[in-house]
Amino acid sequence: MAKVTPMMQQYLQIKEQYDDCILFFRIGDFYEMFFDDAKIASRELELVLTGKDCGLEERAPMCGIPYHAADSYISKLIEKGHKVAICEQMEDPALAKGIVKRDIIKVITPGTVTDTNMLDEKRNNYIMCIYKNGEWYGISYCDISTGEFHASEFKHNGEQKVFDEIARLYPSEIIYNTQFKNNEKMLKRINDRFNISHSQYDDTYFEYNACIKKVNDQFKNIDKKMTLTSGICACGALLCYIEETQKTSLLHINTLNIYSADDFMVLDMATRRNLELTETIRTQSKKGSLLWIIDRTVTAMGARMMRRWVDEPLVHRESIEYRLDAVEELYNNVYVREFLREKLKGIYDIERLIGKIVYGNINARDLVSLKQSIASLPAIKECIAECKSSMLMNLKTGIDILDDVYDLIDKSITDNPPMSVKDGLIIKDGYNETIDKLRSASRDGKDWIAKLEEKEREVTGIKSLKVGYNKVFGYYIEITRSNLNLVPEDRYIRKQTLANSERYITPELKEMESTILGAEEKVVQLEYEVFCGIRDTISKQIERIQKTAYAISNLDVLCSLSTAALENDYVKPVFADNGSISIKDGRHPVVEKTLSGGMFVPNDTYLDNGKDRISIITGPNMAGKSTYMRQVALIVIMAQIGSFVPAKSAEIGIVDRIFTRIGASDDLSAGQSTFMVEMSEVAYILKNATSESLILLDEVGRGTSTFDGLSIAWAVVEYISDKSKIGAKTLFATHYHELTELEGRIEGIKNYRISVKEHGDDIIFLRKIVRGGADQSYGIQVAKLAGLPEEVIKKAKEIISKLESSDIIKIKSADDEAAVESSDEDYKQLDFFSFGGNDIINELRKIEVDNTTPMEALNILDRLVKKAKSKN
Ligand code: ADP
C-alpha cells in the first residue's frame, strides 16, 4: 500500500487532534488546506481547488492562501460558523533538518476571536458555556477580547432561564456538556431561534474539583463564601476552552462576576425584537432602534456598555436610582457633561488594547493610543471630583490616572511609530543605551558614505560619480559609461553592468557597509526586545488599567443618557412601590423622531395592580395602537435602564418581565404557521408571566377564524386578569370590539380606544387615547387611505351593506344586552355570532355522514347549494 509523504504524515497527525477545525497548514508563504478542509474552504472562500502529491494514489485536494492575507479569509470562515486552527512552522525551514517542525499556535472560533479587525467595536463578543447537571444549570460567559467574565446558576425553570440568557447575551458561540446536548428539544429551540455556533465540550473539563482549582487559580477575587457549584463547572470548562484555543496566559481574565438572572428584567427574544431595542425588525440595523436614540457614547467601550445596559434593564430600585441620580447630575451640569464628553472623545478602546497586550499582538502605535488615552484621565477625574451622586463619586475613585504607565510609554515609544514592531523606529533615542550606540554607529557610517562620494569624485575626477544602495548588492559606486576610462581599476571591483553604467565596490566601502547593516539589524532586533519588555511591564498593571476602563465606559454611558435626555426632552422617572405605572404625555422615543416636529401626539397611561390592570385598546388599523403599546413598554424599559424617559412625568412600578405578542415572527422560517407561532408565544406568556410583569398583546387571535380568534382572545384576557393565575398589567389591542364587554364584568379591565374623527366618507386619525371602546372598524376607510382603487372601495362598500343586512352580521340586536346580562356561565354573548337560526346549518347538523351513501350525499349537497343560492 502506498505510504503518505512525511510532510503529509505530519499534517495528518496534527489534523487528527483538531478534527473539528479547518487546519491552516503553513508551508512557506502560504497556509495550505488539504482533503475535506480544502473542499470546504474552496467553496466558502471561492478558492481554486487543486491537488498535491501526498504519496497516495490520488492527489490530496488542496487549496491555499498567502499568509499575509489570512485575516480576511479567517474572518469569512468564522462568520460562517467554522473553527480555524493555525499551524505554523516552528523553525526556520532553511535551518531545519528533515521536515520543518510545525505546531498549532492558535485556534480561532466564533467566540474566541481576538483580532480587532474581525470584531465589532461597539458590541461584546461573548462565548458562553452551559453545564447541565440534573435540574441545575450552570452558566458562564466571557468576552475574551476584553477579559470580562461572568457566571451564574439556576434550578427553578432552568431551561427557560438558559434560553432567556442566550437571548440577552446573544453569544457568538456556546459550548456545553453531554447532559445539555442530550436535551434535543432545547438544542432545536436554540437552532430555531438563534444563529449561534454551538458544540459539545468534553465532560472531563466540567469535573468539579478540577474546575474549582482552575477558577481559584485564575481569578483574584474569589472568596471563601462563594456559593456556586454548577456555575463553577461552567467557569472551569470555559477557562480550559479559552486556554486551549488561545494557547497563552489569560492575565486580563482576572475577575469573576457572579450574578443572578433575577437582577435583570427578563426579555425574551420575541420581545427584544418586537420592541426594537437594539435593532429594527425590518432591516436589522441599529438605526431606528431604541439604542440608536439613546446611544450618544463617544468611546467604543462606552458603546459596548450602553448596549449592555439596553439589553439588561435592572429590577432593583436602588441600583436603578444609583444610575439615574448620576444621569440627573450630569443632565443638570452642562459644564461637567460637555467637558467630559470632549475629553472622553480622546480615549481609545483601552479594554481591547489590554487584550492585545495579553495576546502579544499589541504594536507600538497601540501603546501610543494607550498613552494618549491616559493623558485625558487626570482632567476627567478632576472634572467629576465635585460631583455628589454616589455613582459618579465611585467612578472617580475607580479612575487611576496611571501616570507610571504614561511615563513609561512616553519616554520609550516614538510618537509616530510604524505598524510593525519588527522593523525598528519604535524606541525613542535616549531610552536604551545600546540602541543609541548602535544607531550612532549606523548614522556615522552613513555620514562616512556620504563623504566618500565627494572624496571619490575628487580623486577620480568623475563629476557624475554616485554612491548608491540596493538590497541585493548593498552599497556601490556607480559610474556612467562615458567615464569608464577614468575608473581606478586597481581600487574598484566591478559588480554589476547596467545599460548606461557600471557599478563597483571597494573593500573599505564593503567594510563600512557591514558595520552599518550589522548595526541596523541589531538595532531592529534590540528594539523589538525592548518593546516586548515594555509590553510585559505594562501587562503587570492590567488590573489597574481595566478598573479605569470600566469607570470610563460607565461615565461615557451616563453622559450619553444625560445628553439624549436633554436633546430629546426627556424627564427623570420616579418609582412607585405599589406597582402602578402612571405616565403623563408619554411618547414613543423612536417614532417621535421619525415624524416631523411636533407631529407626535403624546398620550397618558395608567396601569396598576388593582382596578386598572388591563387596558383593552380598540381603534381602527393605523390608529396608533401598537405604537402606543410599544411606547409604554419602552418607557418602562428606559426607566429601568436608568435613563430619563420621553414624557412629561412618569411614575413607574418596576416590572420583572415584559412580554409581547406583536406582529409576525421570524419563527415562520422554522416551518410554523403564523397562527401556530402566535399561539406558542401566547402559551409562553401565560406560562411565564407573573403579577409583576407587563404584557403587550396585539391582535391576539387574528390568525384564525373570527369565532376561534375571539374566543381565544377572550379566554386569554380572562386568564391574565385572574390574580390567582397571573394578574399582570396588560395592554391588549384588539379588533374584537366584543371584548369591550369585559369591562365591569371582570375586575381590573378598562376600555380605551384610539380616537378617530369621521369626516364625510373619510376618517382622520387623532392618535389620542381615550376611555371607552370603539364600535367601528373603519376598515374600508383605512383601505381607501392606503390607496386601494376607487372601484374596489366602492365594491367593498356594497358588499358590507349587503352583509350588514344578511343573517351573518345581524347579530347585535336590541336584546344583546339582555342576553349578556342573563349569561351566568361562559358569557353566552358569544352565541350572538352563532349560525343557530340558519336552516342550512340546521340541515347540515342532521346529516349522519356514516349512514349516508355517496349518491344521497350528492343529492343533499345539490339541495343545499340551491337553497344557499336562493337566499342570495
Ligand atoms: P395600529 O397598531 O393601530 O394599526 P400603528 O401603531 O402601527 O397603528 O400606527 C400607525 C402609524 O401612525 C405609525 O406608523 C405612526 O407613524 C403613526 N402614529 C402612531 N401613533 C402616533 C402618535 N401618537 N402621534 C403621531 N403619529 C402616530
Side-chain angles (χ1 to χ4, degrees), residues 785-849:
L785 277 178
L788 241 59
E790 190 53 44
E791 197 186 326
V792 175
I793 298 290
K794 207 168 136 230
K795 183 74 187 174
K797 279 183 187 161
E798 275 169 39
I799 296 173
I800 199 164
S801 63
K802 242 186 215 165
L803 284 176
E804 274 168 356
S805 59
S806 81
D807 281 354
I808 299 174
I809 309 282
K810 231 190 266 165
I811 302 155
K812 281 237 165 210
S813 58
D815 50 25
D816 282 1
E817 293 301 317
V820 173
E821 295 306 318
S822 69
S823 71
D824 51 3
E825 36 156 33
D826 293 335
Y827 305 109
K828 287 217 179 78
Q829 63 266 48
L830 273 179
D831 281 346
F832 300 149
F833 292 94
S834 82
F835 293 84
N838 192 315
D839 48 352
I840 299 179
I841 304 274
N842 281 338
E843 201 166 336
L844 279 170
R845 278 197 183 119
K846 283 186 208 138
I847 300 171
E848 288 177 35
V849 178

Side-chain angles (χ1 to χ4, degrees), residues 317 574-581 651-654:
R317 184 169 172 171
V574 292
F575 293 93
D577 286 329
N578 60 6
S580 65
I581 294 177
E651 192 176 315
I652 307 291
I654 291 170

Side-chain angles (χ1 to χ4, degrees), residues 591 595 599-601 603 620-628 767:
V591 175
L595 299 176
M599 290 288 287
F600 192 89
V601 180
N603 272 310
N621 268 318
M622 281 299 287
K625 299 183 296 299
S626 55
T627 306
Y628 175 74
R767 314 275 184 221

